[in-house]
Amino acid sequence: MASTFGTSSIALLHSSIHSSQSLPTNSLSQTTVQIFGPKFCGGTAVKGRSPFPVASAVAAQVNGSEQAQKIAFTESQRPVYPFSAIVGQDEMKLCLLLNVIDPKIGGVMIMGDRGTGKSTTVRSLVDLLPEIKVVAGDPYNSDPEDPEFMSVEVRARVLKGEQLRVVFSKINMVDLPLGATEDRVCGTIDIEKALTEGVKAFEPGLLAKANRGILYVDEVNLLDDHLVDVLLDSAASGWNTVEREGISVSHPARFILIGSGNPEEGELRPQLLDRFGMHAQVGTVRDAELRVKIVEERACFDKNSTGFRHSYKAEQEKLQQVIALARSFLPSVQIDHDLKVKISKVCAELNVDGLRGDIVTNRAAKALAALKGNDKVSAEDIATVIPNCLRHRLRKDPLESIDSGLLVLEKFYEVFRR
């Protein structure tokens, strides 16, 4: 993955949105390096209808004053480094984009040296997140059209035939700090209501806020074990259940789990590591010219963050359009049965435990095809994503010195060339 998806290449990337170009299909050996560039995406997308017409909801359009308030609020927040301004680290950026396109991939674990821009890149994703339909006033960001993402209260309203008021809201990114308490993460009794009104009420926690959004844990390998258990439970079931102080509450908690960390500071528990759909490895940039460019860009941002962000506004908007097109095009992407069988053969011959590796690889390959604007998954798409989907699922051999991602690629070429 040697190409650079930085300040100069994004303009070329987006100029091909309507060009219907695609990666060549006759050379598997080129897939590990040709990820971005002029052929990164192409074609057009068509918006599909929701397969879950649960309630006849009325979408409340945001008026001009509300939109102006949103913009003013966004500009008043802590400035975020633009995603399109980040130089290099293509593997990490691709994994993040694929998870935004298809949240069911299951998140990404980013491991690498300190000071390589892991948390900066993840937080820069905020500007690119699309808007989704949510039920107005619902603290769990319930989906008005999908019962799997509805809270118990919203489902009850739908069964009564009540008309839901729907608004558009940007996907949340919630930071889970290492020092967070279990009460703050899961939710607990609302002390204010208990004291003032004398009633038991539930105060939602971070998992409720992260539903249908992104939950980011920096230095996830240093997270306390009791919080790891909470994340495992929610990630496994997609629901958070709270039983405490006489309160019994369950609410949806389906989120994209993103973690970052330095492997020198400790290993991650295998149970949690397996819950991450993809695994990206980040290394320190060795090219001197590239390092100077990164330093200069960061200095410009620190000096005038508003002006720096404005200079990348056009590229950010183009990237948002690419993501929106890919998300709408995703349901129409198909993968041949023969390719599915070969993916499963790779997983079986690598002794990958369980079937998560097969499922995630299929989803990631389809998301990449949608990102390129193709309606069919190619072998190149699979070769690009399969190391990130399987490298953290291999059984570790303490005597093995080769990178696990290379082992996956070797097995991929062996199976796909038979």
Side-chain angles (χ1 to χ4, degrees):
M1 301 185 181
S3 61
T4 300
F5 184 42
T7 53
S8 60
S9 61
I10 284 191
L12 290 174
L13 184 156
H14 297 296
S15 66
S16 64
I17 294 178
H18 304 292
S19 66
S20 71
Q21 293 181 347
S22 60
L23 287 175
T25 57
N26 58 354
S27 176
L28 290 176
S29 61
Q30 296 179 358
T31 58
T32 56
V33 295
Q34 183 67 32
I35 299 175
F36 301 108
K39 298 182 180 180
F40 182 59
C41 73
T44 57
V46 264
K47 293 186 177 180
R49 295 180 179 177
S50 169
F52 300 102
V54 177
S56 58
V58 179
Q61 299 295 329
V62 181
N63 58 37
S65 61
E66 289 176 335
Q67 190 68 24
Q69 288 176 2
K70 273 186 178 182
I71 295 172
F73 177 78
T74 302
E75 290 178 349
S76 66
Q77 298 300 297
R78 182 176 61 177
V80 178
Y81 198 84
F83 188 89
S84 54
I86 294 173
V87 180
Q89 311 299 12
D90 296 331
E91 180 180 337
M92 170 173 57
K93 290 188 290 189
L94 179 62
C95 289
L96 291 172
L97 289 178
L98 295 182
N99 273 273
V100 173
I101 293 169
D102 186 1
K104 290 184 179 180
I105 288 175
V108 55
M109 178 65 202
I110 304 167
M111 297 295 279
D113 304 330
R114 62 181 71 87
T116 48
K118 299 185 295 293
S119 58
T120 300
T121 305
V122 173
R123 292 191 172 99
S124 69
L125 202 63
V126 171
D127 290 338
L128 305 179
L129 297 178
E131 289 189 337
I132 55 174
K133 289 182 181 180
V134 299
V135 177
D138 184 70
Y140 309 111
N141 302 318
S142 293
D143 189 336
E145 298 172 344
D146 189 346
E148 289 187 13
F149 292 95
M150 282 185 183
S151 65
V152 177
E153 295 82 358
V154 172
R155 285 191 187 186
R157 290 167 59 187
V158 171
L159 292 175
K160 289 178 182 177
E162 184 178 337
Q163 198 172 49
L164 303 176
R165 181 173 175 267
V166 180
V167 295
F168 288 90
S169 175
K170 203 165 189 180
I171 292 178
N172 282 332
M173 176 177 284
V174 179
D175 274 280
L176 177 59
L178 296 179
T181 62
E182 189 173 339
D183 287 355
R184 187 68 192 97
V185 175
C186 298
T188 185
I189 190 170
D190 191 329
I191 301 296
E192 183 180 352
K193 281 192 176 181
L195 294 177
T196 57
E197 302 176 20
V199 296
K200 291 179 181 178
F202 180 67
E203 183 180 355
L206 295 178
L207 292 181
K209 189 178 180 182
N211 185 43
R212 300 182 67 206
I214 295 174
L215 184 66
Y216 175 50
V217 189
D218 196 9
E219 306 295 348
V220 64
N221 46 340
L222 303 180
L223 196 64
D224 288 341
D225 285 345
H226 68 282
L227 293 181
V228 171
D229 295 335
V230 169
L231 291 182
L232 283 173
D233 185 48
S234 297
S237 63
W239 283 77
N240 176 40
T241 302
V242 180
E243 300 280 355
R244 60 181 54 178
E245 288 91 23
I247 289 181
S248 178
V249 176
S250 291
H251 65 80
R254 295 178 180 268
F255 45 80
I256 304 172
L257 183 60
I258 298 179
S260 61
N262 184 351
E264 295 178 358
E265 296 172 353
E267 293 292 330
L268 196 62
R269 281 171 58 178
Q271 302 96 317
L272 183 58
L273 185 60
D274 187 58
R275 291 292 173 183
F276 288 97
M278 305 182 78
H279 185 287
Q281 288 188 345
V282 181
T284 303
V285 176
R286 301 299 177 189
D287 182 78
E289 291 292 334
L290 209 54
R291 290 169 75 108
V292 170
K293 184 177 183 181
I294 295 171
V295 171
E296 290 176 346
E297 294 272 275
R298 184 68 207 191
C300 290
F301 176 77
D302 292 338
K303 184 177 180 181
N304 182 7
S305 59
T306 304
F308 186 82
R309 284 172 54 83
H310 184 73
S311 66
Y312 281 93
K313 184 178 179 181
E315 294 181 14
Q316 291 282 94
E317 289 176 350
K318 288 178 183 178
L319 194 49
Q320 282 180 318
Q321 293 173 7
V322 170
I323 293 172
L325 284 172
R327 282 171 64 94
S328 61
F329 194 55
L330 181 64
S332 63
V333 176
Q334 301 295 325
I335 179 169
D336 291 338
H337 178 74
D338 181 54
L339 293 180
K340 292 180 182 178
V341 172
K342 288 183 177 180
I343 289 173
S344 293
K345 280 184 180 179
V346 172
C347 295
E349 294 185 17
L350 286 172
N351 295 318
V352 175
D353 293 330
L355 295 175
R356 284 200 186 99
D358 307 57
I359 295 170
V360 171
T361 304
N362 278 268
R363 288 191 178 279
K366 290 174 71 174
L368 181 57
L371 190 59
K372 297 175 184 176
N374 299 331
D375 59 358
K376 268 197 170 186
V377 173
S378 66
E380 286 79 6
D381 298 331
I382 300 171
T384 301
V385 301
I386 198 168
N388 304 110
C389 298
L390 299 183
R391 63 151 58 103
H392 58 300
R393 306 180 195 277
L394 302 185
R395 295 180 181 177
K396 290 189 177 180
D397 183 357
L399 301 179
E400 186 66 69
S401 59
I402 189 172
D403 175 58
S404 54
L406 295 178
L407 289 176
V408 174
L409 273 180
E410 287 179 2
K411 182 60 66 176
F412 167 83
Y413 292 134
E414 180 184 328
V415 170
F416 274 69
R417 285 172 174 168
R418 287 174 186 169

